[in-house]
Amino acid sequence: MPKNNNKAHIIVVGNEKGGSGKSTTAMHIIVSLMKRNFSVSVIDLDGRQKSLVRYLENRLNYANKHEIKLTLAEAYTLTRSTTGDLENMMEEDTINFSKLMDRLTPCSDFILIDCPGSDSNLSRLAHSYADTLVTPINDSFLDLDLLATVDADTFKVNRLSLYSEMVWDARKYRAIRDHGTIDWVVMRNRTSSLDALNKRRVNEALKELQKRISFRYIQGLGERVIYRELFPKGLTLVDIRNTEQKITMSQIAARQEIRRLMSELNFPGWQEERA
Ligand SMILES: Nc1ncnc2c1ncn2[C@@H]1O[C@H](COP(=O)(O)OP(=O)(O)O)[C@@H](O)[C@H]1O
Ligand SMILES: [Mg+2]
């Protein structure tokens, strides 16, 4: 059974690029965990887009409108401090963030934090609290550049990117704070079934990169229209069976993909708790 032991497992979904699938992935992780009766607290740090807040609001509206039972969660938001000088702002952010974490920890098995696609003090803080950091990247060399610049022929790392350096710092802060480690998982998102050559090359490059930057690289999710269609209803692939919709072959394959994702993320208690 889910058990908190006063230590919530903290999942941070982050990278420094908008539109790579952070909020979509976050939502699927949240609903997958809730479906197995884990208590999940949600923090949306993307104060501008608030996609996760909106996703969860859509979910509540859909459940009410269609009178169906859906697992629901509330997303907490934190807005970055804007008062005083930079030092003041950073201090205020830190206080607000740790207060919220202290409040949510005793009542959560998992705390999921969705980050904005840009660098901010709050996002840095969140990264330094992560037990698992999930970084979705789209299937192109442009997105690989978020992690490191690689040699075009050998895929050897030339230079780490700002984001990888930020994660490196977060790992240091985490180690200093509580000797903890961050399981950094880079997942591909929106992989196309068409461009086999590009897919293979990105695959090779990521295999090379993971040795150098210490992340685990996993397969992730394919490009599927269904992910875009589910947002307005607040639904995920995990819910499809609970709605009146007829399930299609493509949705069955997509659900399989989500199950594999959850299994590879390997959160504490997940493997034991078979649905
Ligand atoms: N695997 C996928 N297949 C198709 N569309 C996707 C996929 N993942 C995300 N999207 C779509 O891409 C857009 C950006 O996704 P989002 O999760 O909001 O990214 P981020 O939070 O990183 O900005 C959304 O319109 C979303 O529906
Ligand atoms: Mg987002």
Side-chain angles (χ1 to χ4, degrees):
M1 276 309 284
K3 211 170 20 193
N4 167 292
N5 282 335
N6 214 19
K7 165 94 185 70
H9 186 88
I10 297 165
I11 306 165
V12 174
V13 186
N15 68 17
E16 284 176 8
K17 182 166 181 286
S20 60
K22 290 183 291 300
S23 301
T24 307
T25 305
M27 191 65 188
H28 279 81
I29 294 175
I30 294 163
V31 177
S32 297
L33 288 170
M34 288 195 306
K35 187 127 198 264
R36 290 216 189 158
N37 293 325
F38 288 106
S39 58
V40 188
S41 296
V42 180
I43 304 177
D44 188 347
L45 287 185
D46 194 346
R48 240 159 58 93
Q49 300 204 333
K50 292 202 176 79
S51 307
L52 206 50
V53 171
R54 297 256 321 286
Y55 211 139
L56 287 162
E57 280 170 4
N58 293 348
R59 187 173 176 83
L60 177 64
N61 293 337
Y62 188 88
N64 288 338
K65 187 170 165 206
H66 295 268
E67 294 178 351
I68 52 171
K69 258 182 92 149
L70 289 173
T71 48
L72 296 168
E74 191 188 342
Y76 296 83
T77 47
L78 270 183
T79 31
R80 58 211 274 198
S81 161
T82 48
T83 46
D85 58 21
L86 191 63
E87 205 175 314
N88 268 332
M89 287 195 266
M90 286 178 67
E91 200 178 310
E92 203 180 309
D93 280 345
T94 309
I95 291 168
N96 291 340
F97 185 80
S98 50
K99 264 193 197 154
L100 182 58
M101 294 303 279
D102 287 348
R103 201 170 111 211
L104 297 179
T105 297
C107 56
S108 321
D109 296 314
F110 291 89
I111 300 176
L112 183 139
I113 309 174
D114 189 23
C115 292
S118 59
D119 189 17
S120 78
N121 186 38
L122 279 172
S123 180
R124 278 171 182 262
L125 265 172
H127 279 71
S128 77
Y129 273 74
D131 292 306
T132 306
L133 168 62
V134 184
T135 299
I137 63 163
N138 287 349
D139 213 23
S140 79
F141 278 89
L142 209 78
D143 271 40
L144 271 189
D145 222 44
L146 287 168
L147 302 172
T149 314
V150 293
D151 183 278
D153 298 315
T154 63
F155 304 136
K156 291 271 182 273
V157 174
N158 287 335
R159 187 166 40 85
L160 289 190
S161 71
L162 291 176
Y163 184 69
S164 294
E165 280 176 4
M166 192 266 258
V167 177
W168 182 258
D169 285 342
R171 283 181 154 149
K172 273 196 306 203
Y173 294 134
R174 176 71 209 272
I176 293 166
R177 191 185 315 112
D178 61 6
H179 304 291
T181 53
I182 301 176
D183 181 19
W184 186 12
V185 184
V186 172
M187 57 168 274
R188 287 164 80 178
N189 186 27
R190 310 187 72 159
T191 40
S192 149
S193 50
L194 300 173
D195 194 356
L197 178 64
N198 176 62
K199 208 163 154 177
R200 212 165 48 236
R201 284 172 59 91
V202 173
N203 186 46
E204 288 308 311
L206 277 167
K207 278 208 289 214
E208 212 34 64
L209 264 179
Q210 68 176 348
K211 293 184 224 152
R212 171 72 200 277
I213 331 184
S214 305
F215 58 75
R216 287 200 285 133
Y217 146 56
I218 63 172
Q219 203 54 53
L221 312 177
E223 167 74 34
R224 295 176 193 277
V225 183
I226 182 79
Y227 289 109
R228 289 198 290 274
E229 292 173 345
L230 289 170
F231 174 81
K233 296 177 181 156
L235 296 176
T236 66
L237 285 159
V238 185
D239 305 301
I240 294 283
R241 266 189 222 285
N242 301 348
T243 67
E244 79 287 0
Q245 295 181 11
K246 254 185 90 183
I247 193 155
T248 64
M249 283 307 283
S250 149
Q251 288 167 0
I252 291 172
R255 280 166 59 93
Q256 191 60 37
E257 209 169 61
I258 296 292
R259 271 202 290 273
R260 189 188 59 202
L261 171 71
M262 289 302 292
S263 162
E264 290 186 334
L265 285 171
N266 200 20
F267 296 127
W270 182 260
Q271 308 294 357
E272 295 89 310
E273 287 283 320
R274 295 256 164 258

